[in-house]
Amino acid sequence: MAEHESLEFGKADFVLLDNVSLEEFMANLKLRFEKGRIYTYIGEVVVSVNPYRAMNIYGRDTIEQYKGRELYERPPHLFAIADAAYKAMKRRNKDTCIVISGESGAGKTEASKYIMQYIAAITNPSQRAEVERVKNMLLKSNCVLEAFGNAKTNRNDNSSRFGKYMDINFDFKGDPIGGHINNYLLEKSRVIFQQEGERSFHSFYQLVKGAPDAQLRSLHIQRDPTAYTYIKVGGQIKVLYHVQIKRDYYGWQGSRDLWHLGKIKPFDGDVTLIENSKLVSILGDLLSTKDENVEKALLYRTVATGRDVIDKQHTHQEASYGRDALAKAIYERLFCWIVGRINDIIEVKNYDVRVHGKNTVIGVLDIYGFEIFQNNSFEQFCINYCNEKLQQLFIQLVLKQEQEEYQREGIPWKHIDYFNNQIIVDLVEQQHKGIFAVLDEACMNVGKVTDEMFLQALNGKLAKHAHYTSRKLSPTDKNLEFDRDFRIRHYAGDVAYSVVGFIDKNKDTLFQDFKRLLYNSSNPVLKAMWPEGKLSITEVTKRPLTAATLFKNSMISLVENLASKEPYYVRCIKPNEVKSPLLFEHERCKHQVEYLGLLENVRVRRAGFANRQIYPRFLQRYKMISEFTWPNHDLPSDKEAVKRLLQGCGFEHDVAYGKTKVFIRTPRTIFSLEEQRAEMVKRIVLFLQKVWRGTLARMHYRRMRAALIIIRAYRRYKVKSYIREVNRRFRNVRGMKDHGKHVKWPTPPKVLRKFEEIFIQIYFRWWAWTLIKDLSPEQLVQIRAKVATLECLKGQRADLGLQRAWEGNYLVSKKDSPGTASSFTLISSDLQRKDKFMRVLFSCNVRKINRFNKAEDRALLITDRHLYKMDPVKQYKPMKSIPLYNVTGVSISPGKDQLVVFHTKDNRDLIVCLQGMVPAGDSRIGELVGTLLSHFKRFKPVRCLKSLSTLLFKSMLSVRFKKIFLKVSYAHQGCMYLLHLSKYSKDSNIMKYYCK
């Protein structure tokens, strides 16, 4: 059952018809043709209807769809039958053949090309040069044979006018290693005569239209084909298309003389002469022989009578006959020579069965189809006899195959009545009584024997035969002419033959003079074509076999060859006479169906069981229907599994079980199985989609998880490597002079860039701590003030006084107040007892600017509670006391001056200019600002910083970086002072100032 073929396209297999009748057969055939389905099965036979249009069903994609598949698994196609033949040959090591039959124009030659194309495409996957060469030669030989063996007829523009059987040899691996071509009955009479509207062989027109001018001149040929008698007889001169071929030089050379031979016309008189003697010279040149020898062979016949040899001159009729016989013989020998050359190239060489194994063969038979013309002569009689033989073989082999298969499988066989055309075959080929025997006897009789005498002999011997008649035997049949026609009731229909020319064509007489002429040619190709010409005139030769006998023997040999192989069939049908892709002529197609015996084939196939499949294949296709067989069965054998499946479906009464196959009687069972299978396939597809999507998701998850693990491992490796490198570089920083300041930090991975910043901050905190850890509390207070100044005024003033030690209480110093220091000490002590301040923050001589713009010397004392303005002249008597909490701000200028403005809540600002610096260039603005900022910021005690900084630096060296974050977070809570200090710790100069 072909897959993917719905009923809208009809039944893909005629065996599956509900009722086997000619009407249903034709209706199904027409429906499929109209739907573009040109192929249909009859079991293992392919019925092909010529579509008369190009179809995109032969490409590489289509080849892949049929490669290795069973017939019923894909829609009907030529590729399926080709693949079946190839598999049978390769699997069972058995020779097979594909027989292509049908009338002229039904598409037999195209079918053989596609079969060759498929076989060439599925073999040789490794593209070995020798096998490729053989395949190419097998394919390209078709073009050459078509050029020399095909012609335009009234029924087909590219009609094969010869029969061809090609054997393709394969080695034990299934690769083509060579081949051989046999040709049958070339219609050589077409060389000299064509029916109205037809043409001679393609090669003549291709030479005229395609050869270069220089070559035509060398052959003395004109470009105009109407100048030549032989090829204008049919009146169809226009070249409809060109068959592209690779022309062989000697092949063209062999036929070059035919152009001029037809123009030679002997004129009738007392002595027969040649009208145009120049043509004789041209023929002598082309045949590579002497002119006088050519003229003698055309006009005389050498006869040996005993010991005497005489030259007998031809009559006009004899000369014309000899000329035409020579033309036909030259072309036939040329064609056989071309086939021989192809065989020399493609045949298997140096093949030893013991070394290379047994080679097997696939045969492809493309032979002329049954023909019924207006005027049917000897050629049509032989062609139709050939089709009778092949039809008889077809029926016998089909019945034989069916019977043998039933016997092998142990199934009872039911006899089928069918038309046995053996009676017609015997009518033609039977010894002493057959038409060929009567024709040969007429040709061997001494004296003048005419075609009419041959017809009389037929009437005498075959008068009582049911399939033979003539006008003499049926006087009332006016479709037959007296003394000219006889009719045979073929299996394909009644055909009337004209006996005119039967005797001459059967004798196929070519005077020995022509054979000697061509054998003595200096052209080696022509010489090789005529080996019998070496006989001398007096040598007695055996009478050559007639054309009928030769053809009969070749047909018998062909049938025996086909019968020894496993046959596959392609039956071609021509849908109409006008080559239309849309027209289906019912009567014409019906006639072809009848004479091809297609309905009998269906009946034979349907006689017992319509369908049969081996158990594994049947299970593979239908096992999803039953729960006992899906997805796999646990029964003893596939046969038992098939039984269980069919019993579950209720079909056990419509089937039989063979040894290796299940046989199904009616098509309805197949349809029902297919419907159930189609329904289950949808569910299975959904299930598979679900499973597959889950599989894809899991695969994606595993890939992501694996990638994440790799990334984590890589990050961990990079982090550990970084921590180890930091540990290695900073391991001995305590013993270094600069405590590791010169050590270069390693480049961190991206994930640790933020972490590196924290590391560096921790390091510089530790580094700062190592510098300040031994300082006294007073020095630490001073450092706090300097840091506060730097935070507030860095970049605002050029000189902040960081380079010197800050004394704070300058009025106590003897440098600033050498004579009054003791007075200030007494006053400050009194103020301390009175105002209860803890310590003096800053004191200095200043110059005050009053509201009258007068400058006066004053002293400034700032304690942790008050700001005092004093008069140094009056023993530092306090003039003004401002609570420190009333001071809202301090303003200074960016210049070098020492001007300071103290802003108060009552807007009574105090403006002073610091003075009395020793040395005079010092600046105390920075010290004043820093002292006030340090006091107001109220830093926590320094006593905890030593142990904390040590803890931080040790944690930096820890390999377990997770703990570092915890330690850093903990340290950050109690290290505000150290953080401020570390901002400027990278500047070694500033740190020197801090540590003074």
Side-chain angles (χ1 to χ4, degrees):
M1 183 70 180
E3 199 173 71
H4 304 307
E5 285 267 317
S6 63
L7 292 179
E8 67 172 303
F9 302 110
K11 304 291 177 58
D13 194 330
F14 286 112
V15 175
L16 302 179
L17 292 174
D18 294 330
N19 297 310
V20 181
S21 64
L22 185 59
E23 291 73 20
E24 282 207 21
F25 188 101
M26 294 303 300
N28 190 59
L29 186 68
K30 181 180 180 181
L31 174 62
R32 291 184 62 79
F33 174 76
E34 291 173 347
K35 293 289 186 178
R37 299 303 194 264
I38 63 172
Y39 299 118
T40 313
Y41 289 142
I42 303 178
E44 296 180 352
V45 176
V46 175
V47 179
S48 170
V49 183
N50 194 338
Y52 287 118
R53 59 188 172 95
M55 301 187 71
N56 187 25
I57 57 172
Y58 304 103
R60 185 70 205 184
D61 293 342
T62 308
I63 291 174
E64 291 299 325
Q65 292 177 14
Y66 286 86
K67 184 177 179 181
R69 305 293 290 269
E70 297 297 328
L71 278 174
Y72 53 82
E73 291 183 331
R74 302 297 301 159
H77 201 288
L78 279 176
F79 291 167
I81 207 75
D83 190 77
Y86 179 76
K87 282 188 300 187
M89 178 271 299
K90 191 173 181 180
R91 290 175 180 173
R92 301 197 290 272
N93 198 29
K94 186 175 182 179
D95 292 345
T96 60
C97 65
I98 302 174
V99 180
I100 308 171
S101 58
E103 70 175 53
S104 179
K108 300 185 301 299
T109 301
E110 290 300 310
S112 68
K113 290 180 187 176
Y114 289 130
I115 289 173
M116 291 284 294
Q117 171 190 329
Y118 180 83
I119 293 175
I122 64 172
T123 56
N124 183 32
S126 57
Q127 298 294 312
R128 290 184 295 278
E130 177 60 21
V131 180
E132 277 298 301
R133 184 190 71 83
V134 172
K135 285 160 57 175
N136 290 334
M137 290 305 302
L138 289 172
L139 293 174
K140 292 178 180 178
S141 64
N142 280 326
C143 300
V144 180
L145 294 177
E146 283 187 17
F148 287 90
N150 288 21
K152 179 193 180 304
T153 67
N154 290 324
R155 307 182 73 179
N156 186 4
D157 289 341
N158 189 33
S159 177
S160 298
R161 306 319 298 162
F162 72 103
K164 178 182 70 174
Y165 175 77
M166 175 182 288
D167 270 333
I168 309 171
N169 297 82
F170 297 83
D171 61 15
F172 69 97
K173 300 184 298 299
D175 286 337
I177 55 175
H180 186 83
I181 297 174
N182 290 323
N183 63 294
Y184 302 98
L185 191 65
L186 177 72
E187 190 187 12
K188 59 185 179 181
S189 61
R190 185 168 290 272
V191 173
I192 64 171
F193 175 78
Q194 307 93 44
Q195 295 192 38
E196 184 67 26
E198 297 188 352
R199 292 193 325 183
S200 186
F201 295 100
H202 292 326
S203 57
F204 293 106
Y205 308 94
Q206 290 169 1
L207 179 62
V208 171
K209 296 295 184 180
D213 294 336
Q215 184 179 10
L216 291 181
R217 285 194 298 271
S218 67
L219 299 177
H220 309 283
I221 294 176
Q222 302 176 34
R223 185 70 72 180
D224 180 15
T226 59
Y228 301 96
T229 304
Y230 280 162
I231 66 173
K232 71 175 183 178
V233 177
Q236 181 61 257
I237 301 299
K238 182 180 179 181
V239 180
L240 300 180
Y241 55 88
H242 297 284
V243 180
Q244 300 298 327
I245 64 169
K246 183 177 180 181
R247 288 189 288 267
D248 185 282
Y249 174 72
Y250 285 119
W252 292 122
Q253 293 290 86
S255 63
R256 58 190 178 179
D257 47 282
L258 300 183
W259 296 89
H260 306 287
L261 196 58
K263 297 173 69 174
I264 292 180
K265 296 181 181 180
F267 61 88
D268 199 6
D270 295 337
V271 179
T272 305
L273 299 173
I274 296 175
E275 291 183 1
N276 189 351
S277 59
K278 182 180 179 181
L279 293 175
V280 176
S281 300
I282 295 175
L283 277 176
D285 178 50
L286 297 177
L287 294 174
S288 300
T289 187
K290 296 180 181 179
D291 299 353
E292 55 270 22
N293 293 340
V294 175
E295 185 173 7
K296 182 179 179 181
L298 288 170
L299 298 179
Y300 295 89
R301 181 182 178 188
T302 302
V303 180
T305 58
R307 297 181 179 179
D308 298 329
V309 178
I310 60 175
D311 292 330
K312 179 183 177 183
Q313 187 172 16
H314 288 311
T315 64
H316 177 272
Q317 183 179 359
E318 291 173 338
S320 298
Y321 173 84
R323 175 203 62 194
D324 293 344
L326 177 60
K328 293 187 292 184
I330 287 178
Y331 196 83
E332 182 185 35
R333 297 289 177 102
L334 166 65
F335 187 77
C336 293
W337 177 84
I338 291 173
V339 174
R341 283 292 300 275
I342 294 174
N343 286 332
D344 290 342
I345 295 173
I346 66 175
E347 68 182 2
V348 181
K349 300 179 180 65
N350 302 323
Y351 194 90
D352 189 344
V353 176
R354 293 172 296 179
V355 176
H356 303 100
K358 179 181 181 298
N359 72 71
T360 47
V361 169
I362 294 180
V364 180
L365 177 64
D366 173 19
I367 203 162
Y368 15 62
F370 195 88
E371 292 184 345
I372 305 177
F373 292 128
Q374 190 70 27
N375 180 28
N376 301 288
S377 187
F378 179 75
E379 291 83 5
Q380 280 69 46
F381 178 74
C382 292
I383 287 172
N384 293 342
Y385 158 70
C386 168
N387 279 267
E388 291 283 1
K389 291 285 288 184
L390 294 177
Q391 177 66 11
Q392 178 67 13
L393 175 69
F394 172 70
I395 294 295
Q396 287 179 349
L397 290 181
V398 167
L399 288 174
K400 181 181 177 182
Q401 284 178 333
E402 289 289 307
Q403 186 173 2
E404 288 178 352
E405 183 172 26
Y406 277 67
Q407 289 175 350
R408 280 196 309 268
E409 298 293 330
I411 306 296
W413 167 254
K414 179 182 178 181
H415 179 72
I416 300 300
D417 292 328
Y418 64 96
F419 175 71
N420 190 342
N421 60 343
Q422 182 64 46
I423 187 173
I424 303 175
V425 173
D426 291 340
L427 170 65
V428 177
E429 69 179 18
Q430 188 177 15
Q431 291 185 354
H432 308 301
K433 295 181 180 180
I435 295 176
F436 278 162
V438 175
L439 181 60
D440 285 350
E441 184 180 354
C443 292
M444 289 186 292
N445 287 337
V446 179
K448 181 67 174 177
V449 180
T450 63
D451 295 323
E452 290 79 5
M453 295 171 63
F454 161 64
L455 181 58
Q456 291 173 7
L458 287 180
N459 292 333
K461 289 192 174 185
L462 302 175
K464 296 181 179 180
H465 201 285
H467 290 267
Y468 174 86
T469 187
S470 66
R471 183 65 182 273
K472 182 178 180 180
L473 300 177
S474 301
T476 59
D477 189 348
K478 296 184 180 180
N479 292 324
L480 300 175
E481 291 289 336
F482 281 108
D483 298 330
R484 191 194 74 179
D485 298 340
F486 67 91
R487 180 186 293 120
I488 294 179
R489 289 176 53 198
H490 288 281
Y491 79 97
D494 296 351
V495 182
Y497 298 98
S498 170
V499 297
V500 176
F502 262 59
I503 298 292
D504 289 340
K505 290 177 180 179
N506 187 47
K507 285 182 178 179
D508 196 20
T509 305
L510 180 67
F511 301 138
Q512 190 70 16
D513 302 79
F514 291 122
K515 299 177 182 179
R516 285 192 292 270
L517 171 71
L518 296 173
Y519 177 77
N520 293 316
S521 170
S522 59
N523 186 317
V525 176
L526 286 175
K527 184 179 180 70
M529 288 182 186
W530 305 89
E532 63 269 42
K534 66 180 179 181
L535 299 176
S536 65
I537 300 173
T538 57
E539 283 187 70
V540 178
T541 59
K542 187 177 181 180
R543 183 189 295 270
L545 296 176
T546 62
T549 301
L550 289 172
F551 186 69
K552 180 184 73 174
N553 293 341
S554 66
M555 286 298 101
I556 293 173
S557 174
L558 173 64
V559 168
E560 290 176 353
N561 186 12
L562 296 177
S564 67
K565 296 176 171 59
E566 183 174 330
Y568 294 85
Y569 297 94
V570 180
R571 315 293 259 171
C572 298
I573 292 178
K574 184 177 181 179
N576 57 74
E577 280 289 348
V578 294
K579 306 177 181 63
S580 169
L582 304 175
L583 182 60
F584 185 90
E585 295 180 356
H586 185 272
E587 290 302 320
R588 165 166 290 283
C589 295
K590 177 181 176 183
H591 174 67
Q592 294 173 74
V593 168
E594 289 175 339
Y595 78 66
L596 287 173
L598 300 184
L599 207 58
E600 286 81 359
N601 191 9
V602 175
R603 290 194 179 103
V604 167
R605 186 74 176 183
R606 283 279 296 269
F609 298 89
N611 187 278
R612 71 287 311 267
Q613 297 179 29
I614 60 175
Y615 293 119
R617 284 286 182 177
F618 184 89
L619 275 179
Q620 183 179 356
R621 186 164 183 82
Y622 300 111
K623 64 181 180 178
M624 69 284 297
I625 296 175
S626 173
E627 60 181 343
F628 299 104
T629 56
W630 178 258
N632 295 299
H633 69 85
D634 55 358
L635 296 169
S637 65
D638 289 345
K639 182 177 180 180
E640 294 298 323
V642 172
K643 284 184 178 179
R644 179 66 65 87
L645 187 153
L646 291 172
Q647 287 171 0
C649 296
F651 299 139
E652 66 273 12
H653 301 298
D654 198 45
V655 298
Y657 302 100
K659 297 176 181 178
T660 63
K661 293 181 179 180
V662 58
F663 290 74
I664 301 174
R665 188 177 305 277
T666 61
R668 293 188 180 278
T669 300
I670 298 295
F671 292 144
S672 179
L673 288 171
E674 284 293 323
E675 288 174 359
Q676 295 181 53
R677 178 183 181 275
E679 183 63 30
M680 289 301 300
V681 164
K682 295 177 183 177
R683 298 169 61 182
I684 292 172
V685 167
L686 290 175
F687 174 77
L688 291 176
Q689 286 178 343
K690 180 188 73 173
V691 173
W692 180 239
R693 286 170 180 166
T695 301
L696 289 177
R698 285 188 289 273
M699 290 169 59
H700 182 63
Y701 166 75
R702 284 194 290 268
R703 283 196 296 266
M704 290 182 63
R705 186 170 180 271
L708 183 60
I709 291 172
I710 293 171
I711 291 172
R712 285 176 177 172
Y714 181 72
R715 284 180 175 175
R716 189 179 301 115
Y717 161 75
K718 295 292 286 185
V719 168
K720 287 183 177 180
S721 300
Y722 173 73
I723 297 298
R724 290 192 185 103
E725 182 63 19
V726 171
N727 189 22
R728 185 186 66 81
R729 295 189 183 187
F730 288 89
R731 182 174 298 157
N732 301 316
V733 293
R734 288 187 180 88
M736 297 178 184
K737 187 176 181 180
D738 61 351
H739 300 291
K741 189 105 183 326
H742 71 284
V743 176
K744 183 179 180 181
W745 286 79
T747 303
K750 290 183 178 180
V751 71
L752 290 183
R753 285 180 180 174
K754 292 291 185 183
F755 194 60
E756 183 198 31
E757 296 177 3
I758 300 174
F759 261 25
I760 294 174
Q761 289 180 9
I762 293 173
Y763 167 73
F764 280 110
R765 289 174 185 174
W766 173 86
W767 181 80
W769 173 249
T770 59
L771 297 179
I772 66 174
K773 65 181 179 178
D774 297 328
L775 298 179
S776 64
E778 293 78 10
Q779 290 174 321
L780 287 177
V781 172
Q782 186 178 139
I783 287 177
R784 288 195 199 100
K786 286 186 176 182
V787 170
T789 300
L790 192 60
E791 285 182 339
C792 183
L793 301 180
K794 185 179 181 182
Q796 303 296 325
R797 289 179 64 90
D799 184 13
L800 298 178
L802 301 175
Q803 297 87 347
R804 59 179 179 81
W806 288 357
E807 296 181 14
N809 196 355
Y810 288 98
L811 294 179
V812 179
S813 174
K814 294 181 180 180
K815 292 181 181 180
D816 279 17
S817 305
T820 60
S822 58
S823 299
F824 175 76
T825 302
L826 292 173
I827 293 299
S828 63
S829 297
D830 292 339
L831 289 175
Q832 186 175 15
R833 286 192 298 270
K834 178 183 175 183
D835 294 334
K836 308 299 183 180
F837 63 83
M838 298 296 296
R839 64 188 179 92
V840 176
L841 299 180
F842 184 82
S843 68
C844 178
N845 289 318
V846 298
R847 186 174 289 273
K848 176 184 177 295
I849 310 298
N850 62 17
R851 62 179 179 272
F852 303 108
N853 294 324
K854 289 183 179 182
E856 297 176 349
D857 291 334
R858 294 287 186 265
L860 182 66
L861 172 62
I862 302 175
T863 68
D864 54 4
R865 295 179 68 111
H866 292 83
L867 185 153
Y868 299 97
K869 181 178 71 171
M870 299 178 174
D871 187 354
V873 178
K874 296 179 179 181
Q875 303 300 319
Y876 293 100
K877 179 182 177 181
M879 298 178 65
K880 186 177 182 180
S881 174
I882 302 173
L884 204 56
Y885 58 79
N886 278 346
V887 178
T888 59
V890 177
S891 296
I892 60 175
S893 66
K896 293 183 179 181
D897 57 76
Q898 300 293 306
L899 184 66
V900 180
V901 179
F902 294 95
H903 302 282
T904 62
K905 291 181 179 179
D906 56 2
N907 294 325
R908 297 179 69 181
D909 298 345
L910 176 62
I911 303 173
V912 297
C913 183
L914 305 185
Q915 63 174 2
M917 280 75 73
V918 180
D922 281 350
S923 173
R924 294 177 183 170
I925 292 294
E927 184 178 355
L928 173 61
V929 173
T931 301
L932 290 174
L933 287 174
S934 177
H935 172 72
F936 280 107
K937 286 185 177 179
R938 297 181 182 276
F939 285 113
K940 288 187 178 181
V942 184
R943 61 178 178 271
C944 66
L945 295 180
K946 176 181 177 181
S947 60
L948 186 57
S949 62
T950 303
L951 174 63
L952 287 171
F953 187 70
K954 286 183 179 178
S955 67
M956 180 183 69
L957 303 179
S958 174
V959 176
R960 298 183 179 276
F961 64 94
K962 290 185 179 179
K963 294 183 179 181
I964 292 175
F965 288 107
L966 297 177
K967 293 175 182 179
V968 170
S969 177
Y970 168 72
H972 191 269
Q973 297 174 7
C975 294
M976 294 305 297
Y977 164 67
L978 216 58
L979 179 59
H980 289 290
L981 183 61
S982 65
K983 290 183 179 178
Y984 314 105
S985 60
K986 298 180 182 179
D987 190 337
S988 59
N989 293 325
I990 295 176
M991 290 310 298
K992 288 178 183 178
Y993 302 148
Y994 286 173
C995 297
K996 284 184 180 179

